[in-house]
């Protein structure tokens, strides 16, 4: 039976006064959360998320349990920020790994929201398991910018999914484990400062997980320590499978995995990351396939499945059309952004980031923010842009009527015309 040993280290870094990251180590579930938000918000958000997951670790037994845990953590962060005005706007990333024991044997489920990362060190090679949910990483995956451009992109730190505002899709990955494997969870304070090559070297040399975690944090500080740094290292043994034989080639470029269509279910094979991202319940057939169960399919059942398939394809086509036929306005960090799609997506159709506007949450009335966090649906991109323009005018007008409120916006009479 698989045995895990974990170690962690967390440090404010050399620039920030407080540490807004939180880490979690339990027997089966491990997590790094990177909080953000002024005042005490960031610390509170990441700690609240980790506290919820600590409880969820006692009941979660599979990937669905991890997703439920993260959604409950999201609910808790939202509840706290609504309850305590000084915490409004706080949020946190989550990257979690959980050992799952089922008919597949023991394997590791990784889940992430935001830009905190999971890496898998196996057979002497390192690969990034999770996909960053950041503007630059999404543009890179969409093929719109190069890796070099992504590394210097002005919005590389703007994350596109975060706990604390509205619903989101949790990305899931499934890892086959071998003796000697190491799993690394980290906040961007590590991955921004320490290259994959250096991380791989440390994981190949460090005696135990605590020493590896401490060494990685030390190197992040030595390279600048611009942000809070948090690391969890998990050592894998007693899997019943010897060390992975084939060393993975070490990637030369920053590893940002190519995007896998979310609906694709891959049968987990040794050393391969299967993308198990699913919205809602995993289908019966998909689950059997994932568990490696075979079933003879006769011609008649084949025809029946084919007919069902055509109906499903038709229904999915409608859902796709419905999903793509609207836009919505919401907030990301402090900017107003326009997405194509429906808030939270439908099935596995994700909203696509359409525009990051130069309007910030300070340019609109505070009373509009809760609605914006949930997402305001508009029929077209032009309508979404017009809605944002109206919000700005409304705010400007309010500033004129109530001049005691401080503002940095120049207000001209023209901006009042629509308010
Ligand atoms: Mn960070």
């Amino acid at each position: 039976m698989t045995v895990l040993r974990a170690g962690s280290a967390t440090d404010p870094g050399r620039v920030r006064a407080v540490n807004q990251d939180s880490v979690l180590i339990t027997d089966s579930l491990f997590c790094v959360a990177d909080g953000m938000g002024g005042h005490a918000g960031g610390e509170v958000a990441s700690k609240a998320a980790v506290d919820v997951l600590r409880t969820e670790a006692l009941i979660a037994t599979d990937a669905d349990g991890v997703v439920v845990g993260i959604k409950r953590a999201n609910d808790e962060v939202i509840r706290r920020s609504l309850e305590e005005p000084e915490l409004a706007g706080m949020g946190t990333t989550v990257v979690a790994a959980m050992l799952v024991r089922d008919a597949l044997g023991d394997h590791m489920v990784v889940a992430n929201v935001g830009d905190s990362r999971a890496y898998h060190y196996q057979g002497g090679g390192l690969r990034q398991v999770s996909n960053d949910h950041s503007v630059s990483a999404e543009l890179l995956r969409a093929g719109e910018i190069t890796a070099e451009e992504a590394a210097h992109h002005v919005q590389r730190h703007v994350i596109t999914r975060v706990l604390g505002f509205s619903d989101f899709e949790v990305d899931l990955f499934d890892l086959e484990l071998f003796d000697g494997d190491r799993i690394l969870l980290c906040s961007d304070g590590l991955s921004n400062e320490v290259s994959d090559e250096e991380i791989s070297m440390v994981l190949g040399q460090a005696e135990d997980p605590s020493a590896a975690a401490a060494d990685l944090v030390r190197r992040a500080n030595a390279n600048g320590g611009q942000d809070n740094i948090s690391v969890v290292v998990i050592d894998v043994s007693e899997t019943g499978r010897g060390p992975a034989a084939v060393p993975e080639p070490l990637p030369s470029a920053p590893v940002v995995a190519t995007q896998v269509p979310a609906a694709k279910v891959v049968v987990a094979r040794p050393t391969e990351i299967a993308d198990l991202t699913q919205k809602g319940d995993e289908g019966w057939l998909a689950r059997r396939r994932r568990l490696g169960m075979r079933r003879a399919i006769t011609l008649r059942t084949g025809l029946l499945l084919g007919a069902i398939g055509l109906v499903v394809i038709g229904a999915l086509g409608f859902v796709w059309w419905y999903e793509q036929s609207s836009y919505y306005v919401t907030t990301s960090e402090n900017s107003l952004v326009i997405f194509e799609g429906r808030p939270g997506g439908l099935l596995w159709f994700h909203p696509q980031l359409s525009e990051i506007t130069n309007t910030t949450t300070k340019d609109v009335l505070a009373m509009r923010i809760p609605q914006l966090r949930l997402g305001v649906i508009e029929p077209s991109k032009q309508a979404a842009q017009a809605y944002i323009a109206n919000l700005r005018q409304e705010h400007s007008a309010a500033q004129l009527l109530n001049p005691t409120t401080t503002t940095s916006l120049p207000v001209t009479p023209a901006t009042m015309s629509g308010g």
Side-chain angles (χ1 to χ4, degrees):
M1 200 163 73
T2 304
V3 172
L4 302 178
R5 285 194 313 144
S8 69
T10 182
D11 189 89
R14 293 170 57 190
V15 174
R16 305 279 170 92
V18 292
N19 191 345
Q20 301 190 316
D21 291 355
S22 294
V23 301
L24 172 68
I25 291 182
T26 72
D27 289 343
S28 60
L29 190 142
F30 311 85
C31 168
V32 166
D34 179 346
M36 59 212 67
H39 303 286
E43 293 156 88
V44 173
S46 68
K47 183 171 184 305
V50 156
D51 285 345
V52 170
L53 286 171
R54 183 181 291 111
T55 307
E56 293 294 321
L58 302 173
I59 49 176
T61 58
D62 58 9
D64 289 346
V66 179
V67 173
V68 167
I70 291 174
K71 298 284 174 118
R72 285 188 179 143
N74 181 41
D75 292 343
E76 175 65 10
V77 176
I78 291 173
R79 190 188 67 76
R80 293 285 301 275
S81 61
L82 292 176
E83 210 171 70
E84 300 164 53
E86 69 275 20
L87 298 179
M90 69 177 178
T92 185
T93 71
V94 160
V95 59
M98 189 176 81
L99 184 68
V100 170
R101 304 179 191 279
D102 63 16
L104 255 186
D106 296 343
H107 54 117
M108 187 79 88
V109 166
V110 167
N112 80 298
V113 175
D115 65 355
S116 298
R117 291 181 177 177
Y119 288 88
H120 192 180
Y121 181 81
Q122 182 177 71
L126 181 75
R127 80 169 110 201
Q128 185 181 330
V129 174
S130 56
N131 294 325
D132 296 352
H133 301 139
S134 65
V135 170
S136 58
E138 295 201 356
L139 289 172
L140 177 63
R141 285 198 292 277
E144 297 189 13
I145 58 174
T146 65
E148 174 65 19
E149 286 168 336
H152 300 104
H153 196 275
V154 65
Q155 280 162 331
R156 65 188 178 281
H157 300 306
V158 178
I159 58 178
T160 50
R161 293 187 214 174
V162 64
L163 278 73
F165 296 91
S166 58
D167 197 18
F168 44 73
E169 177 115 354
V170 177
D171 280 358
L172 284 176
F173 305 88
D174 192 52
L175 307 181
E176 198 84 7
L177 299 176
F178 287 78
D179 289 354
D181 285 5
R182 284 182 152 162
I183 310 296
L184 166 66
L185 308 179
C186 66
S187 60
D188 64 341
L190 179 78
S191 51
N192 286 336
E193 303 286 12
V194 184
S195 69
D196 286 1
E197 289 76 10
E198 196 173 353
I199 291 173
S200 184
M201 189 189 71
V202 171
L203 293 178
Q205 290 175 350
E207 279 288 306
D208 63 73
S210 298
D215 192 18
L216 288 169
V217 167
R218 186 186 61 74
R219 286 167 188 269
N221 273 323
N223 293 349
Q226 297 290 313
D227 191 7
N228 305 150
I229 309 144
S230 294
V231 175
V232 171
V233 177
I234 308 153
D235 277 10
V236 179
S237 59
E238 314 286 322
T239 60
R241 288 183 288 261
V246 187
E248 294 292 328
L250 197 61
S252 54
V255 187
V256 179
T258 51
Q259 191 163 30
V260 182
K264 187 176 166 193
V265 176
V266 184
V267 180
R269 288 196 301 274
T271 77
E272 182 161 300
I273 299 167
D275 185 344
L276 300 181
T277 303
Q278 290 283 334
K279 190 93 179 184
D281 286 334
E282 186 180 6
W284 168 87
L285 193 60
R287 177 159 178 82
R288 289 189 68 99
R289 280 178 58 196
R290 180 164 69 79
L291 297 181
M293 298 176 189
R294 308 224 175 270
R295 182 173 187 269
I297 296 181
T298 64
L299 181 60
R300 275 176 61 190
T301 47
L303 286 171
L304 180 62
L305 288 175
I308 293 170
L310 286 176
V311 173
V312 169
I313 287 167
L316 289 180
F318 175 77
V319 171
W320 177 85
W321 168 83
Y322 178 76
E323 160 71 19
Q324 300 301 312
S325 65
S326 85
Y327 286 75
Y328 68 93
V329 180
T330 188
T331 57
S332 175
E333 301 263 291
N334 294 321
S335 294
L336 267 61
V337 294
I338 300 173
F339 278 88
E340 182 179 3
R342 307 262 162 181
L346 271 175
L347 298 176
W348 48 83
F349 299 110
H350 306 268
Q352 297 290 324
L353 183 66
S354 179
E355 183 186 342
I356 299 161
T357 71
N358 54 20
T359 302
T360 73
T361 50
K362 289 191 171 60
D363 302 327
V364 304
L365 294 182
M367 59 180 278
R368 300 294 183 199
I369 300 294
Q371 182 75 46
L372 280 168
R373 292 220 174 101
L374 295 172
V376 176
I377 296 175
E378 293 289 337
S380 68
K381 187 167 178 179
Q382 288 74 17
Q385 288 164 335
Y387 172 72
I388 291 173
N390 280 338
L391 289 179
R392 292 188 74 128
Q393 286 192 354
E394 173 186 63
H395 180 262
S396 302
Q399 294 294 331
L400 267 193
L401 294 171
N402 183 12
T404 56
T405 312
T406 56
T407 175
S408 56
L409 274 181
V411 179
T412 64
T415 60
M416 279 192 70
S417 57

